[in-house]
């Protein structure tokens, strides 16, 4: 069978069949991707549940008045996903996401950190005045601060004049010098320089 376009489908041979004859739902059987066989086991053991046809509504409507009475695009997968990220039907906390707001609350009593892949999604956005930033990491992983032999302008021979650039020590000396340099501050230090240096030190600490 085909679902949501000709390119997206799961064949019956790739599904774990679940007997639903004892449930109150209209179908007698349904299935899940066989890659989710543990989820099927949890359902059969009474430890998991499936919710179908769940979407976003700010009020009760029917097929005759939904276009006039609702602001969201009810039949748009993308719009429903965004609404799920926000969980804010009446826009009382506009621009924020449900996990971001949860992190805001937790931050009053504990240390909170949020990490996202490639970009910061709506679901993680909180109150900007609380300064709980989302750290974004590439899906390909973290880039090392120093690549050893790949660094430029360190001398005529590879690693010859690079502190910490030998095959044995790699980067510890250079990293220590950079941390020491960016830790220094004076009364005349600019706000931009202070921000850059602190961001550098934080980034190194978080990715080591």
């Amino acid at each position: 069978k085909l679902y949501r376009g000709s390119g997206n489908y799961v064949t019956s041979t790739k599904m774990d069949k679940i007997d639903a004859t004892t449930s109150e739902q209209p179908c007698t059987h349904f299935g899940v991707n066989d890659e989710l066989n543990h989820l099927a086991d949890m359902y059969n053991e009474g430890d998991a549940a499936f919710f179908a046809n769940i979407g976003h509504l700010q009020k009760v409507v029917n097929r005759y008045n939904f276009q006039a009475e609702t602001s969201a695009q009810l039949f748009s997968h993308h719009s429903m996903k965004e609404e799920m990220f926000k969980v804010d039907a009446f826009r009382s906390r506009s621009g924020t996401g449900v996990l971001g707001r949860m992190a805001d609350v937790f931050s009053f009593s504990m240390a909170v950190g949020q990490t996202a892949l490639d970009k910061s999604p709506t679901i993680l956005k909180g109150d900007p005045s609380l300064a709980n930033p989302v750290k974004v990491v590439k899906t390909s992983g973290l880039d090392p601060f120093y690549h050893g032999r790949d660094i430029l302008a360190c001398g005529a021979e590879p690693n010859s004049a690079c502190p910490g650039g030998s095959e044995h020590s790699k980067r510890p000396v250079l990293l220590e010098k950079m941390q020491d340099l960016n830790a220094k501050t004076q009364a005349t230090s600019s706000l931009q320089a202070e921000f850059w240096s602190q961001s550098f030190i934080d980034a190194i600490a978080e990715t080591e």
Side-chain angles (χ1 to χ4, degrees), residues 62-115:
N62 55 43
R63 61 177 177 169
Y64 302 108
N65 65 5
F66 76 89
Q67 289 182 313
E69 299 293 333
T70 60
S71 57
Q73 299 181 45
L74 303 184
F75 302 99
S76 163
H77 178 73
H78 172 73
S79 298
M80 289 294 101
K81 184 175 70 173
E82 283 296 305
E83 294 296 341
M84 178 187 71
F85 287 172
K86 296 172 182 175
V87 191
D88 186 17
F90 301 103
R91 299 298 184 264
S92 59
R93 298 285 297 278
S94 183
T96 65
V98 60
L99 295 185
R101 296 194 299 273
M102 290 174 63
D104 288 344
V105 174
F106 290 144
S107 68
F108 290 114
S109 58
M110 63 184 72
V112 175
Q114 299 185 93
T115 303

Side-chain angles (χ1 to χ4, degrees), residues 13-92:
T13 57
K14 289 287 292 180
M15 297 178 69
D16 281 347
K17 189 176 182 180
I18 294 179
D19 187 345
T21 54
T22 59
S23 69
E24 297 180 0
Q25 60 186 7
C27 60
T28 57
H29 295 83
F30 65 97
V32 297
N33 191 309
D34 60 10
E35 296 290 338
L36 300 174
N37 58 325
H38 292 299
L39 183 57
D41 293 338
M42 290 175 64
Y43 176 84
N44 289 328
E45 293 168 5
D47 294 325
F50 292 94
F51 292 88
N53 299 322
I54 299 298
H56 163 87
L57 278 178
Q58 70 247 36
K59 63 184 297 185
V60 178
V61 294
N62 55 43
R63 61 177 177 169
Y64 302 108
N65 65 5
F66 76 89
Q67 289 182 313
E69 299 293 333
T70 60
S71 57
Q73 299 181 45
L74 303 184
F75 302 99
S76 163
H77 178 73
H78 172 73
S79 298
M80 289 294 101
K81 184 175 70 173
E82 283 296 305
E83 294 296 341
M84 178 187 71
F85 287 172
K86 296 172 182 175
V87 191
D88 186 17
F90 301 103
R91 299 298 184 264
S92 59

